[in-house]
Amino acid sequence: MFKQYPPSIIDVEASGFGAKSFPIEVGVVRYDGAKICRLIRPLDEWAHWDESAEALHGISRSNLLSHGNNPVQVCRELNEFLGNTVVYSDGWVVDHPWLIKLFAAASMDMTFSCRALDYLLSEDQMALWHDVKDDIVDSLNVRRHRASSDAMVIQQTFIETKRLSTLPKSDFAAVAK
């Protein structure tokens, strides 16, 4: 595995928020700007559905059944797209288990590693993160909470907070207020 800049970002949308939830969409923005986003057709044993999660991402179960991709195909495409690289998640504590559930259902191993984005962020970046992210959402006019949009916003937020955190301390202090 090798380091890339900016980092590849992954985001996963799910059927709910608890342990019984399952992945329904995965989006990745790779270090080179290439993107992939796939809806995932639920397996029969994936029954948990949370209406409040659906209200957040706007993906219905019927849409997944009609337009979702087979989990095996999604895993193959993710492995091909990411290869032997590292991908980062700002919600690793939930995204990583959902990826594990997806790949286990497909009886496949991930060729890539998924790590928490926090490991890459400096304290200065963390201090700027939420304000910068809000500005990026506004500037990109992102109106939907979906995996591909979220991954793009996260990557752009990383890039901008990195840039701002390298400013001279006097300039950084003005931005961080």
Side-chain angles (χ1 to χ4, degrees):
M1 288 184 236
F2 52 96
K3 293 184 179 183
Q4 300 288 339
Y5 185 85
S8 297
I9 303 294
I10 193 165
D11 189 68
V12 181
E13 299 301 331
S15 67
F17 306 106
K20 293 180 182 178
S21 63
F22 56 88
I24 63 167
E25 183 181 48
V26 62
V28 179
V29 179
R30 206 167 51 195
Y31 59 88
D32 61 0
K35 299 171 186 160
I36 186 173
C37 189
R38 296 291 181 266
L39 290 173
I40 303 162
R41 186 172 49 249
L43 300 177
D44 291 341
E45 59 268 25
W46 290 354
H48 176 76
W49 194 260
D50 188 328
E51 299 293 330
S52 58
E54 181 178 337
L56 186 61
H57 51 62
I59 304 168
S60 69
R61 188 172 178 91
S62 62
N63 188 25
L64 293 173
L65 294 172
S66 300
H67 304 291
N69 297 280
N70 181 299
V72 172
Q73 182 63 31
V74 173
C75 291
R76 281 188 189 134
E77 290 181 22
L78 286 171
N79 278 342
E80 182 179 315
F81 187 73
L82 291 167
N84 187 28
T85 62
V86 178
V87 65
Y88 293 89
S89 167
D90 74 335
W92 183 86
V93 72
V94 289
D95 286 350
H96 191 249
W98 286 326
L99 287 170
I100 290 170
K101 187 175 277 193
L102 175 63
F103 276 82
S107 299
M108 294 177 71
D109 291 327
M110 286 188 280
T111 61
F112 58 95
S113 298
C114 181
R115 296 190 184 148
L117 182 62
D118 294 355
Y119 290 123
L120 297 181
L121 298 175
S122 68
E123 286 185 34
D124 289 344
Q125 283 180 278
M126 288 184 204
L128 296 167
W129 189 267
H130 294 290
D131 289 337
V132 169
K133 185 176 180 186
D134 289 344
D135 289 346
I136 287 173
V137 167
D138 289 342
S139 71
L140 295 175
N141 200 24
V142 176
R143 296 291 173 236
R144 59 184 210 156
H145 177 71
R146 297 286 297 270
S148 57
S149 321
D150 290 354
M152 179 185 61
V153 166
I154 294 161
Q155 188 183 63
Q156 291 303 308
T157 303
F158 179 89
I159 291 168
E160 183 63 7
T161 58
K162 183 80 167 172
R163 184 189 72 77
L164 292 171
S165 69
T166 61
L167 293 174
K169 286 299 177 188
S170 59
D171 293 341
F172 175 79
V175 172
K177 287 185 180 178

